[in-house]
Amino acid sequence: MAAPSTSTPAPASSAFLLAAAAAAARFPRASSSTRALALAERRRLSEVGGGGRSVAAGRRSFHGLVPAHVLSAGDDDAEAEGASINREVEESSRRRMLLAAGAALFLSWPNPAAYAAEAKKGFLPVTDKKDGYSFLYPFGWQEVVVQGQDKVYKDVIEPLESVSVNTIPTNKQDIRELGPPDQLYDEKVAEALIRKVLAAPTQKTKLIEAKENDVDGRTYYTFEFTAQAPNFTRHALGAIAIANGKFYTLTTGANERRWEKIKDRLHTVVDSFKIEARI
């Protein structure tokens, strides 16, 4: 009578390794998943002491069950795959950094209109390259068409708050040809000039101040005055200059009752008026 078998069931890890060995025998180059599992088991056994045989001694196999070529292929491929993943992560990170840097550079690149507006908050720039002049006007004013004026911007709620520019052909070369600067303080001469170029002929004007300014080698005459009509009085500022065979005028102002509230903005407008030499 045969003696009863005294063999014990193979541990779960041995059963796993037998299955892996069978797969390796069937497919000489083990699949990536099999190699990965074999490598994981090897590391687990290494951590717990190898179960009686060291990993170094078992380089041939785990407990003699997994062929050495599976272990070797698993190590090499896992390392190669890890290196490939690291390279991809680094490349992806580098691309994101380059894109972020490019976006930051694009956003920081100065837009001429935005830059001019930023230089004087609350104002927008106007540049007329054809006639060669530029100025700022308060944000919120809208451009309107007025016969006889080159450019007009005005407040839609307060119609007397506006700025207008006009050009008239002239054979004069410099604003000083209109007379020496000290004549600007002759009220009759200055008011005559205001009535002819800065205010309507039917309005009664009164000069408050007249000045000569030199900006970038060009001379400007500026005026502060009031212009009285039958139903309102406008407090205004004006600037005149001669260049490019033209007589340039800019006029801005507001209702007298609002002058104290808005005068600083109007001074910014008239001071921003610049004439560029055209070739």
Side-chain angles (χ1 to χ4, degrees):
M1 182 174 181
S5 174
T6 59
S7 63
T8 57
S13 60
S14 298
F16 167 79
L17 295 172
L18 285 170
R26 188 176 179 184
F27 303 100
R29 178 169 179 82
S31 66
S32 60
S33 61
T34 301
R35 292 194 301 273
L37 290 171
L39 183 59
E41 180 65 10
R42 177 189 169 197
R43 288 175 178 169
R44 186 185 71 79
L45 292 174
S46 175
E47 291 174 359
V48 299
R53 178 177 293 188
S54 69
V55 173
R59 185 63 179 171
R60 181 176 56 83
S61 65
F62 289 129
H63 292 272
L65 297 177
V66 180
H69 78 272
V70 174
L71 295 176
S72 178
D75 285 351
D76 294 344
D77 290 351
E79 290 177 2
E81 184 177 359
S84 176
I85 292 173
N86 286 338
R87 285 194 298 271
E88 290 179 3
V89 171
E90 290 175 359
E91 280 297 319
S92 177
S93 177
R94 188 178 295 109
R95 284 194 298 269
R96 286 196 298 270
M97 290 177 64
L98 290 173
L99 287 172
L105 180 62
F106 174 79
L107 292 174
S108 65
W109 195 264
N111 177 291
Y115 181 81
E118 182 67 19
K120 203 73 176 177
K121 288 187 179 296
F123 293 83
L124 295 175
V126 175
T127 300
D128 189 318
K129 294 183 178 180
K130 178 182 177 182
D131 290 321
Y133 65 83
S134 63
F135 64 93
L136 300 176
Y137 69 92
F139 181 80
W141 289 10
Q142 296 183 3
E143 185 174 12
V144 295
V145 177
V146 177
Q147 186 175 4
Q149 300 293 323
D150 195 55
K151 286 275 192 305
V152 178
Y153 290 83
K154 66 188 303 183
D155 189 298
V156 295
I157 298 175
E158 295 287 345
L160 292 182
E161 294 176 14
S162 65
V163 57
S164 60
V165 177
N166 200 9
T167 60
I168 304 169
T170 181
N171 56 6
K172 297 183 182 298
Q173 301 298 315
D174 191 277
I175 195 70
R176 292 187 180 91
E177 295 180 37
L178 297 178
D182 57 359
Q183 284 190 4
L184 292 175
Y185 296 96
D186 184 325
E187 187 170 328
K188 292 182 180 179
V189 173
E191 287 189 357
L193 185 60
I194 291 169
R195 283 195 300 271
K196 288 181 179 180
V197 299
L198 299 177
T202 58
Q203 295 177 349
K204 182 179 180 181
T205 60
K206 180 180 179 181
L207 177 68
I208 298 174
E209 185 179 29
K211 295 189 298 183
E212 175 184 350
N213 297 313
D214 288 318
V215 180
D216 297 331
R218 192 177 306 285
T219 302
Y220 299 81
Y221 289 172
T222 60
F223 304 91
E224 180 181 345
F225 61 96
T226 58
Q228 186 176 352
N231 56 344
F232 66 85
T233 299
R234 189 177 192 231
H235 201 135
L237 301 171
I240 60 176
I242 291 177
N244 307 318
K246 295 182 179 182
F247 185 80
Y248 294 84
T249 68
L250 177 144
T251 308
T252 186
N255 194 304
E256 180 68 72
R257 62 180 171 79
R258 283 179 51 82
W259 171 254
E260 290 300 324
K261 184 176 181 178
I262 199 173
K263 65 179 181 180
D264 290 341
R265 299 171 74 190
L266 300 181
H267 275 290
T268 296
V269 173
V270 78
D271 291 343
S272 72
F273 187 47
K274 299 292 183 294
I275 310 298
E276 302 294 337
R278 295 173 59 236
I279 300 175

